[in-house]
């Protein structure tokens, strides 16, 4: 496999994602990068160019457009294979994508999301009550607050048994790591597919008030949803549905605790909590670089040519801190920035169907947390926090805090 000339090798462990992105940006708006295993791709580091590319008809999501994969040059245990291989909404284009999205979108209508708010609020109260018993003690807020809220929400939507939540969390963490070893990649894929197949079998036998049952019913009513598409769509919803919200809430709490002046603006009501959510999404996108899109013809772009069949990373974290779009203070966490437009949920046909739900969870979880624990503080210096081993999932492994009411 011939790599691009003058490539920038992405660090699979991503110890300093934003530092690496600054180095990428210094190379130019469109940069040849090397992914794990020497796989070549392109990273787009500018907000405007990425926004255009996300709606460019010459760019596809179907991996059939990627010769390296279809020729077998990308090994089966490649760390990112679970993002590009499964059938489903995230890897479909055109009519296939519209068909799948229409089915899934029925579960995420504005009315249904609004109707979920009381349940979100009840879940948050329950989690805060549990944290109350640890008042004054160090606790990992990512594990004991952000994760259970995100997983219970998407788990309930999909009809996943609660006793499976922790296993799905561990498997999702393995899947979204760009440093996973090939044997673990294959084992993770087998286990996830087996769990989802078992969930489908259970819901087929005993349907419930959940998305999995709805998708099965749509398939059996002749809506042309194949079994592979069903499993692939559930996989996407499970991983994205809790992982992005988990990172969003974690990143938001970390940003607020390390910017006390900005926290004060939110707590006093001088700035709305919606502004906190959007500024965190811009500055610390829950997803760093998202694989993959593929050029279906040669695309001249910012002095480079992305050739037909080349793979492209959607570099959401790069776009969110692009100084050519957000100004020289793009790295700052600033609630006075005004209305923020960002690409952290994507753009165009593949805009995240669960964006409204993720926002709802954050906008309930954050004010409730700081109202219950107004003296909340980090239990360790922020520079000692360890990033996730991934250039895909952008957050920290743990968020140790001291709970003080």
């Amino acid at each position: 496999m011939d790599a691009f000339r003058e490539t920038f090798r992405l660090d699979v462990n991503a110890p300093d994602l934003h530092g690496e992105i600054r180095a990428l940006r210094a190379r130019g708006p469109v940069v040849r990068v090397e992914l794990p295993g020497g796989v070549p791709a392109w990273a787009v580091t500018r907000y405007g160019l990425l926004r255009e590319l996300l709606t460019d008809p010459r760019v596809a999501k179907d991996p059939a457009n990627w010769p390296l994969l279809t020729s077998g040059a990308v090994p089966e245990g490649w760390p990112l294979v679970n993002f590009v291989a499964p059938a489903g909404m995230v890897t479909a284009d055109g009519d296939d994508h519209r068909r799948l999205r229409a089915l899934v979108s029925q579960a995420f209508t504005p009315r249904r999301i609004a109707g979920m708010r009381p349940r979100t609020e009840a879940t948050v109260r329950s989690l805060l009550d549990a944290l109350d018993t640890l008042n004054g003690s160090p606790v990992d807020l990512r594990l004991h607050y952000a994760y259970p809220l995100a997983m219970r929400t998407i788990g309930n939507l999909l009809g996943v048994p609660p006793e499976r939540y922790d296993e799905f969390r561990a498997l999702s963490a393995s899947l979204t790591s760009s440093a996973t070893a090939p044997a673990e990649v294959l084992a993770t894929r087998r286990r996830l597919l087996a769990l989802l197949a078992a969930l489908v079998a259970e819901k087929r036998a005993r349907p419930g008030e959940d998305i999995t049952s709805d998708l099965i019913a749509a398939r059996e009513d002749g809506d042309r949803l194949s079994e592979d598409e069903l499993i692939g769509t559930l996989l996407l919803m499970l991983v994205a549905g809790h992982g992005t919200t988990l990172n969003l809430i974690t990143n938001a709490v970390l940003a607020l605790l390390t910017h006390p002046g900005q926290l004060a603006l939110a707590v006093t009501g001088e700035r709305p909590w919606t502004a906190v959510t959007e500024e965190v999404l811009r500055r610390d996108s829950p997803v760093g670089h998202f694989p993959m899109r593929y050029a279906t013809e040669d695309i001249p772009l910012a002095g480079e040519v992305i050739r037909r069949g080349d793979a492209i990373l959607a570099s959401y974290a790069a776009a969110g801190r692009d100084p050519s779009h957000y100004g020289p203070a793009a790295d700052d966490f600033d609630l006075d920035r005004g209305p923020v437009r960002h690409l952290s949920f994507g753009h165009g046909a593949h805009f995240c169907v669960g964006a409204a739900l993720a926002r709802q969870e954050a906008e309930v979880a954050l004010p409730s947390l700081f109202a219950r624990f107004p003296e909340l503080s980090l239990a360790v210096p922020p520079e000692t926090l360890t990033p996730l081993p991934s250039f895909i999932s952008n957050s920290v492994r743990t968020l140790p805090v001291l709970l003080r009411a």
Side-chain angles (χ1 to χ4, degrees):
M1 184 188 320
D2 294 328
F4 290 126
R5 291 175 292 107
E6 302 175 0
T7 58
F8 184 107
R9 179 179 293 177
L10 293 179
D11 190 324
V12 295
N13 290 297
D16 180 13
L17 178 67
H18 287 292
E20 188 170 68
I21 284 171
R22 284 192 292 274
L24 269 175
R25 190 178 292 116
R27 294 264 187 123
V30 183
V31 184
R32 298 176 176 95
V33 296
E34 181 182 312
L35 305 180
V39 174
W42 294 90
V44 181
T45 67
R46 301 293 193 269
Y47 174 97
L49 287 178
L50 181 56
R51 192 173 190 273
E52 291 176 11
L53 207 64
L54 293 176
T55 57
D56 194 314
R58 299 169 295 177
V59 176
K61 292 280 285 179
D62 186 343
N65 293 287
W66 192 23
L68 284 181
L69 184 69
T70 58
S71 68
V74 175
E76 188 180 5
W78 187 54
L80 311 186
V81 72
N82 289 311
F83 286 92
V84 302
M89 191 170 65
V90 75
T91 56
D93 296 305
D95 289 343
D96 280 341
H97 176 259
R98 283 187 287 273
R99 171 175 56 86
L100 293 168
R101 189 178 179 93
L103 291 170
V104 173
S105 295
Q106 294 171 22
F108 291 94
T109 62
R111 182 176 180 179
R112 186 165 185 174
I113 297 302
M116 291 178 62
R117 190 177 182 97
R119 186 183 186 95
T120 302
E121 292 170 343
T123 301
V124 165
R125 284 194 300 272
S126 173
L127 293 172
L128 291 174
D129 288 345
L131 291 176
D132 240 340
T133 65
L134 303 173
N135 201 331
S137 304
V139 61
D140 179 2
L141 208 67
R142 179 179 176 87
L143 179 63
H144 294 287
Y145 188 59
Y147 155 65
L149 172 59
M151 182 56 86
R152 288 182 195 179
T153 301
I154 194 63
N156 179 65
L157 268 177
L158 294 178
V160 175
E163 61 270 19
R164 292 293 188 193
Y165 288 175
D166 286 348
E167 184 173 13
F168 273 121
R169 176 182 67 86
L171 291 168
S172 295
S174 174
L175 186 147
T176 56
S177 171
S178 47
T180 307
E184 184 181 342
V185 171
L186 295 173
T188 295
R189 179 174 175 78
R190 284 194 298 269
R191 185 57 184 156
L192 272 171
L193 295 181
L195 286 173
L196 291 171
L199 175 64
V200 168
E202 168 66 22
K203 295 301 177 180
R204 186 171 280 124
R206 285 174 287 278
E209 297 295 323
D210 53 70
I211 296 174
T212 302
S213 298
D214 292 347
L215 291 176
I216 292 169
R219 177 174 186 261
E220 293 177 349
D221 285 344
D223 218 330
R224 297 185 298 113
L225 183 69
S226 73
E227 193 76 4
D228 285 346
E229 288 173 333
L230 173 60
I231 296 294
T233 297
L234 291 173
L235 176 63
L236 161 70
M237 294 174 68
L238 178 71
V239 174
H242 94 274
T244 53
T245 305
L246 168 58
N247 288 352
L248 167 57
I249 294 172
T250 302
N251 295 350
V253 175
L254 178 57
L256 290 165
L257 291 180
T258 52
H259 296 81
Q262 300 300 306
L263 172 59
L265 291 175
V267 168
T268 60
E270 294 179 60
R271 299 293 180 273
W273 286 97
T274 53
V276 174
T277 300
E278 299 310 311
E279 178 66 350
V280 171
L281 284 166
R282 176 201 70 82
R283 180 178 179 265
D284 271 307
S285 170
V287 176
H289 305 284
F290 191 78
M292 276 307 198
R293 285 169 166 79
Y294 316 97
T296 59
E297 58 183 85
D298 290 357
I299 304 174
L301 194 67
E304 299 281 2
V305 179
I306 300 177
R307 298 295 181 186
R308 178 182 179 182
D310 285 354
I312 305 165
L313 290 175
S315 297
Y316 295 127
R321 295 197 186 189
D322 177 11
S324 71
H325 185 76
Y326 295 106
D331 283 345
D332 294 352
F333 179 63
D334 183 6
L335 300 183
D336 286 321
R337 197 176 295 277
V340 174
R341 296 180 67 86
H342 56 76
L343 300 174
S344 293
F345 288 124
H347 177 63
H350 284 273
F351 183 82
C352 177
V353 294
L357 180 58
R359 285 176 163 125
Q360 180 191 98
E361 291 175 73
E363 289 160 15
V364 172
L366 295 173
S368 300
L369 174 68
F370 286 99
R372 182 73 68 97
F373 301 106
E375 301 300 319
L376 182 73
S377 64
L378 286 174
V380 298
E383 61 272 16
T384 66
L385 294 172
T386 305
L388 293 172
S390 176
F391 56 69
I392 298 170
S393 188
N394 176 33
S395 191
V396 290
R397 288 177 185 257
T398 62
L399 188 61
V401 300
L402 291 172
L403 301 170
R404 298 189 181 97

